[in-house]
Amino acid sequence: MSLSLTECLLATTQEPRELADYQTGVPRWCNGCGDNAILSAVQRLCRDEKLAPEKTVFVSGIGCSSRLPHYMNTYGFHGLHGRALPLAEGVKMSRPDLHVFVSTGDGDCLSIGAAHWIHALRYNMDLTVLLHDNRIYGLTKKQVSPTSPLGTKSNTTPKGSYLAPLNPLTVTLGVQNVSFVAQAVDWIPELLAEIIAAAYRHKGLSFVRIVQRCPEFQPGAFDPFVLDPKRTLILRNELTLSAALAKVYTNQREHDASSIDRAREIASIEDPIPVGILFRDETVPCYEDLRHAGQPHTPELVRRGLEAELDKFTVWPGAPGPAA
Ligand SMILES: Cc1ncc(C[n+]2csc(CCOP(=O)(O)OP(=O)(O)O)c2C)c(N)n1
Ligand code: SF4
């Protein structure tokens, strides 16, 4: 039986793939850097969901964490510091058919990119946003970030930082139109992968804060949590906990992710670290759907729009001149 060209192309994009199909390059991160665990989790997700590499885009700003697109054998855009979210929104707006992921650091997203963060939540475009939160500027070699704990000594605060840290979860949960908020930690890879997968499946902007270790500039910062499983609070709702994990992480709580008040309460807990899906609302509309209303943004449409705009300034031969 012969297949048409379209059928052949569809068959290619639906082929089962291996992890290696999504891997490229050798990550330049330090040994023990939590970014490695995040990279593995997204590569697993791409394989499990059989995402076609040519239909998948990883967008980032600037920072160690923002190097992630280099190691994905998909499309990618290593952007400008703080601008990962508007870049990703632009991609999604013109190509809503693509799977768009964002990797952004705590400096990139919560400091220089803070205005974009708030408005991206409000626009609720269908993006999977991974906040790699190591509580420090890594790439530029140790300056405080908005999530650095009070008293953090760094190159910009040699006597210790003066301000209490910003909580990215409570701020996110305070923004109009927020539709998905979760938290993961890099040292429980099974749950990290499951939470990122749930975020990917959510239609709308899914915001996942990942507590990420930076052994270079925050050495041992999370050791007390890693070494004492009781200091992790597992939120029981849609996550499946393997028997082995359930035995280790016994501090568990049933949580109704449809309640924003309960989500805000949990988001403000810092010790133990809550892990799981805090909030989900599937009813919030996505900006790209409101704007496109089913009309794809084709190159032809863009060309016609541009020509119509330029025609406004064209002086046609024989046309009456401006009134004197
Ligand atoms: C406009 C601009 N300002 C400042 C910088 C310098 N800079 C590069 S990365 C960075 C902070 C990175 O920290 P974070 O986002 O937390 O990422 P990490 O390296 O920790 O993963 C800064 C300030 C820049 N590249 N561009
Ligand atoms: S400096 Fe920190 S965040 Fe950057 S690669 Fe090294 S461990 Fe990772």
Side-chain angles (χ1 to χ4, degrees):
M1 187 189 68
S2 65
L3 295 173
S4 70
L5 180 62
T6 320
E7 285 166 333
C8 282
L9 286 172
L10 275 176
T12 332
T13 57
Q14 284 160 3
E15 267 173 18
R17 293 175 200 275
E18 310 277 323
L19 260 190
D21 293 327
Y22 297 99
Q23 296 168 334
T24 186
V26 179
R28 276 203 224 154
W29 295 311
C30 309
N31 282 341
C33 174
D35 288 336
N36 292 292
I38 300 171
L39 176 67
S40 302
V42 292
Q43 287 169 339
R44 273 173 65 181
L45 167 81
C46 290
R47 180 205 50 195
D48 296 347
E49 297 287 334
K50 300 187 185 64
L51 300 192
E54 68 278 12
K55 289 266 187 183
T56 307
V57 192
F58 281 81
V59 181
S60 65
I62 299 289
C64 295
S65 39
S66 290
R67 290 198 55 78
L68 189 137
H70 289 268
Y71 312 130
M72 292 301 300
N73 197 16
T74 59
Y75 281 104
F77 196 142
H78 189 176
L80 291 175
H81 196 32
R83 308 299 183 252
L85 285 165
L87 286 168
E89 288 168 317
V91 173
K92 191 72 188 176
M93 198 67 187
S94 36
R95 289 291 306 273
D97 57 313
L98 301 182
H99 311 288
V100 185
F101 294 82
V102 176
S103 266
T104 178
D106 38 306
D108 196 60
C109 181
L110 314 176
S111 189
I112 191 169
H116 297 303
W117 165 40
I118 302 300
H119 290 286
L121 293 164
R122 196 172 145 249
Y123 277 53
N124 191 43
M125 298 186 74
D126 191 13
L127 307 170
T128 307
V129 179
L130 308 176
L131 173 68
H132 302 223
D133 189 356
N134 58 6
R135 304 186 179 176
I136 200 81
Y137 290 3
L139 188 75
T140 43
K141 302 192 183 298
K142 200 172 187 181
Q143 295 82 28
V144 278
S145 92
T147 54
S148 299
L150 182 66
T152 298
K153 288 198 171 142
S154 75
N155 293 321
T156 37
T157 53
K159 294 184 183 161
S161 59
Y162 300 94
L163 299 175
L166 175 152
N167 180 330
L169 296 176
T170 52
V171 177
T172 296
L173 284 161
V175 179
Q176 196 76 23
N177 286 344
V178 62
S179 72
F180 184 103
V181 180
Q183 179 156 259
V185 292
D186 76 40
W187 57 90
I188 315 181
E190 294 92 322
L191 288 183
L192 174 64
E194 240 200 279
I195 290 166
I196 294 178
Y200 161 74
R201 288 188 211 110
H202 172 74
K203 167 97 167 106
L205 190 145
S206 37
F207 183 86
V208 186
R209 186 232 199 153
I210 305 166
V211 180
Q212 178 233 322
R213 288 172 293 178
C214 170
E216 189 66 21
F217 297 120
Q218 290 280 45
F222 296 107
D223 284 0
F225 295 94
V226 179
L227 296 172
D228 181 0
K230 286 226 159 43
R231 292 179 71 177
T232 300
L233 174 64
I234 308 285
L235 303 177
R236 302 295 311 241
N237 36 44
E238 58 197 270
L239 292 187
T240 46
L241 211 57
S242 68
L245 272 188
K247 224 170 174 181
V248 176
Y249 293 97
T250 50
N251 190 2
Q252 302 175 12
R253 184 190 290 190
E254 289 299 329
H255 170 62
D256 172 9
S258 67
S259 160
I260 198 149
D261 292 334
R262 295 291 301 124
R264 285 179 180 144
E265 229 173 90
I266 287 181
S268 58
I269 303 173
E270 285 174 6
D271 187 358
I273 299 177
V275 165
I277 295 156
L278 278 80
F279 181 67
R280 183 205 284 277
D281 181 353
E282 299 281 359
T283 65
V284 183
C286 294
Y287 187 72
E288 66 271 33
D289 295 339
L290 295 174
R291 287 295 304 271
H292 282 140
Q295 193 178 32
H297 221 88
T298 60
E300 177 52 24
L301 210 67
V302 174
R303 192 186 61 77
R304 267 194 273 144
L306 275 175
E307 277 182 8
E309 283 306 306
L310 292 172
D311 279 353
K312 289 183 191 164
F313 303 97
T314 306
V315 181
W316 300 104

